[in-house]
Amino acid sequence: MKKRRNPTISDVACLAGVSKATVSAVLNDRDTVSAATREKVLAVIRELNYRPREFARHRFRSDGERSIGFIIKEDDNPYYAELIAGARRVAEAKGYTILVASSEGSFRAEQQIIQLMTAKDVNGFIITPVIDDEADLSHIFELKRRNIPFVLLEGIRGLQANLVDIDNVRASQAAVQHLMEQGHAHIVYFAGPRYSLHTEERLEGVRRAFSASNRALRDDQVIYAGAHARDGYEAARAYFAQRPDPMPTAVACYNDLVALGVLRALQELDIRVPDEVSVMGFDDLAFLRYTPWPLSTVRVPKETMGEKAAEILIRNIEADQPVPIEKVHLDFELVLRATTRALQPST
């Protein structure tokens, strides 16, 4: 059977009824093309699954060099190390090299990284996008416009794209509901960074847990901390040093690193865990199973997420025809260890 020829810029121009120069102008986002013509060209690009020339050149190099850009948000967060390990295992088996860069929570840095990697002919991207009120996500929409393959590890509203994640709302709700079922009526939530959709989703899960129990979640029960251990430590020191009334009997945290910081602050303030305050994390980072406080948490299948993202991305990179968008939500698991306990019923 004859192998299908990959579409060229000439094919796009012919089907769209424009010149190759016009197609090039659209690909390079020049303002010399009318909106109607631009949309017509982009529709043909999507229909043919046409990839810009530089990507095709790199994709079919005779020496077989192929690479994937993996963009994370915090280079000191072990969560991403486990994601990368899973992606690397699949990528290397398929002959791809993983190139990792961190935006450190800056959408401008994320833009620069994508632009640099694109110029270096990276075949596709796995991205944990920076999302907040200030973020300009045009660089990610541009990837889609140019038909450059990518997979997200957090969703972007309004963008239909490949996604691998868990149901963060449902997972966070399950964690807080468990604390409530254990008799905890006074719960505070240490929320994540404002540049992450996961922050919003996990906070929504907390709200749903309270709503399902017919309790109101007050503003003073949500403390915005961040993503790092220091964030949790500093937020917990400030909060618990005031000896709030009523004193919380449980703390749910955005992630395990924040929970680790909370645990350290509570120790310094002579507040016993879990006798006085239970602490629940999120992610199940492997090394926290071996700390002085084996952490109760939500297990996220991080390596499997990385594997699935790489599989989807490579399938898109190597496809000769458009591949349907895949949205994969993996299962989570509640893991109970030494930092939470059930309260004794009042008598």
Side-chain angles (χ1 to χ4, degrees):
M1 183 176 179
K2 186 177 180 180
K3 186 176 180 180
R4 184 180 182 275
R5 180 175 65 86
N6 292 295
T8 67
I9 193 170
S10 296
D11 297 326
V12 175
C14 181
L15 191 57
V18 299
S19 68
K20 290 193 291 183
T22 298
V23 177
S24 178
V26 170
L27 290 171
N28 289 285
D29 205 24
R30 298 191 188 116
D31 58 8
T32 56
V33 183
S34 70
T37 300
R38 181 184 304 276
E39 185 50 45
K40 182 167 63 173
V41 171
L42 290 174
V44 172
I45 287 173
R46 289 190 291 269
E47 179 184 345
L48 296 180
N49 201 33
Y50 171 70
R51 305 271 168 78
R53 189 174 180 179
E54 64 270 21
F55 287 90
R57 183 177 68 245
H58 183 74
R59 179 182 170 197
F60 298 111
R61 283 175 57 173
S62 61
D63 61 13
E65 283 190 23
R66 294 175 290 183
S67 59
I68 291 169
F70 199 131
I71 305 174
I72 63 176
K73 286 190 284 194
E74 300 127 14
D75 63 8
D76 61 348
N77 190 338
Y79 172 85
Y80 294 113
E82 296 183 53
L83 285 172
I84 293 165
R88 179 173 285 123
R89 187 158 46 246
V90 171
E92 290 182 350
K94 295 285 188 177
Y96 290 80
T97 299
I98 296 280
L99 306 176
V100 181
S102 175
S103 67
E104 293 304 300
S106 165
F107 76 87
R108 290 186 179 86
E110 183 178 280
Q111 286 177 329
Q112 292 171 349
I113 292 165
I114 287 179
Q115 289 168 0
L116 177 62
M117 288 188 173
T118 299
K120 297 297 183 183
D121 293 345
V122 168
N123 293 87
F125 295 90
I126 298 172
I127 308 170
T128 58
V130 175
I131 304 171
D132 61 24
D133 292 339
E134 304 297 323
D136 174 3
L137 298 172
S138 59
H139 55 290
I140 296 180
F141 283 85
E142 176 71 3
L143 291 177
K144 186 173 180 66
R145 187 181 71 84
R146 295 183 64 185
N147 207 23
I148 298 169
F150 66 93
V151 178
L152 300 176
L153 297 178
E154 290 185 35
I156 295 176
R157 290 191 175 90
L159 177 64
Q160 288 298 312
N162 296 306
L163 172 70
V164 180
D165 204 348
I166 66 165
D167 186 332
N168 283 274
V169 175
R170 197 161 60 87
S172 182
Q173 180 178 356
V176 174
Q177 282 181 336
H178 170 76
L179 293 172
M180 291 176 173
E181 290 165 1
Q182 295 296 295
H184 295 279
H186 303 296
I187 301 170
V188 294
Y189 181 65
F190 280 65
R194 297 182 186 273
Y195 55 70
S196 174
L197 182 63
H198 284 171
T199 295
E200 185 177 332
E201 291 174 336
R202 294 175 190 182
L203 179 54
E204 175 61 23
V206 175
R207 292 193 180 103
R208 291 189 185 183
F210 272 78
S211 178
S213 67
N214 294 317
R215 301 174 189 172
L217 178 65
R218 303 186 312 273
D219 290 344
D220 63 359
Q221 289 176 272
V222 179
I223 296 92
Y224 279 91
H228 301 86
R230 176 173 288 278
D231 298 329
Y233 171 79
E234 292 177 349
R237 283 284 306 191
Y239 179 81
F240 283 99
Q242 302 174 24
R243 288 296 195 266
D245 184 22
M247 185 72 168
T249 61
V251 177
C253 298
Y254 167 74
N255 68 10
D256 288 347
L257 292 181
V258 170
L260 183 63
V262 170
L263 290 168
R264 178 62 183 270
L266 292 175
Q267 181 189 47
E268 292 182 0
L269 292 169
D270 294 323
I271 299 173
R272 293 171 297 155
V273 176
D275 296 343
E276 296 177 86
V277 176
S278 289
V279 177
M280 176 74 72
F282 201 112
D283 286 340
D284 192 29
L285 300 178
F287 81 92
L288 287 181
R289 302 169 200 172
Y290 308 105
T291 65
W293 310 282
L295 184 65
S296 294
T297 187
V298 175
R299 176 172 293 158
V300 177
K302 299 171 287 301
E303 290 200 18
T304 303
M305 286 174 63
E307 291 172 353
K308 291 292 184 184
E311 288 170 0
I312 292 170
L313 181 61
I314 293 170
R315 193 152 51 243
N316 277 262
I317 290 170
E318 298 183 351
D320 290 328
Q321 299 181 19
V323 177
I325 288 173
E326 296 185 59
K327 293 182 181 289
V328 177
H329 285 89
L330 300 174
D331 292 334
F332 63 87
E333 179 184 355
L334 201 59
V335 180
L336 304 178
R337 299 192 182 100
T339 59
T340 54
R341 74 177 184 97
L343 296 184
Q344 295 296 325
S346 57
T347 57

